Amino acid sequence: MTAATTQPSPDGVQPRIAYADDLYGWAMEQAVALRAGDVSALDRENLAEEIESLGRSEFYALVEAWRGILLHMLTTDYQSERRVREWALTIEGERGRAAYLLADSPSLTSRLEEAMIRAYCGARLDAARDTGLPVETFPEACPYTRDDLLTRDFPVDPTT
């Protein structure tokens, strides 16, 4: 680890590795200090920011899982003649990813509706791009329920 010059934090403690200079080195140094109980060596402001960022990334991962499901639901519903096995498999894969995220972070369940709304905005644009249909073809508001996202069946010809 290389030492970097930094400004002391408001409490006068100077980290050895600057957050802005080497995120990985800083994180490893912070983990060592935290495990050792050396509170005076912690870069508390940046540490708190990183923990909050970690929480946000879990939410965005849920949004992306919902987005994948919604995209393939839209393409299946609006181009059923092109329905392929891959779409159903993608939906199942994204359902599994969402389930793991929710199992690992149960408090995300309080934000499921928000995640679905955010995901649908992107999925609608993705569906327009992927199908070649005008974006106005797809409803402005999400036409699916949470139950649809989680359990709706997508039968396909297994040879496609």
Side-chain angles (χ1 to χ4, degrees):
M1 286 187 201
T2 356
T5 0
T6 65
Q7 294 296 320
S9 63
D11 59 5
V13 174
Q14 180 154 342
R16 294 183 304 218
I17 297 176
Y19 172 81
D21 293 342
D22 180 358
L23 180 60
Y24 176 79
W26 171 87
M28 296 301 105
E29 183 179 82
Q30 293 299 298
V32 167
L34 193 57
R35 283 190 179 97
D38 187 0
V39 178
S40 66
L42 296 177
D43 179 359
R44 291 184 300 220
E45 189 57 36
N46 285 318
L47 196 53
E49 195 171 305
E50 284 302 315
I51 291 169
E52 289 167 346
S53 176
L54 179 62
R56 284 189 301 272
S57 70
E58 288 297 294
F59 174 73
Y60 294 134
L62 178 62
V63 169
E64 286 307 305
W66 280 161
R67 185 175 175 162
I69 295 167
L70 289 165
L71 164 63
H72 289 84
M73 288 176 76
L74 287 169
T75 55
T76 297
D77 289 348
Y78 285 84
Q79 287 197 328
S80 57
E81 71 283 354
R82 292 182 54 205
R83 184 179 294 181
V84 292
R85 182 173 178 262
E86 179 186 341
W87 293 353
L89 292 173
T90 298
I91 288 169
E92 286 308 310
E94 293 297 332
R95 283 176 173 164
R97 187 163 74 120
Y100 286 133
L101 285 164
L102 292 169
D104 289 346
S105 299
S107 62
L108 281 174
T109 56
S110 68
R111 298 185 70 192
L112 286 178
E113 293 304 315
E114 179 187 356
M116 200 166 129
I117 290 166
R118 287 185 183 202
Y120 184 74
C121 291
R124 182 175 180 246
L125 295 174
D126 292 343
R129 182 199 64 230
D130 290 0
T131 63
L133 297 170
V135 73
E136 298 79 23
T137 303
F138 306 99
E140 204 166 307
C142 183
Y144 306 111
T145 65
R146 187 174 8 163
D147 191 49
D148 291 334
L149 264 73
L150 298 173
T151 62
R152 184 173 148 198
D153 192 30
F154 291 91
V156 293
D157 178 351
T159 62
T160 60

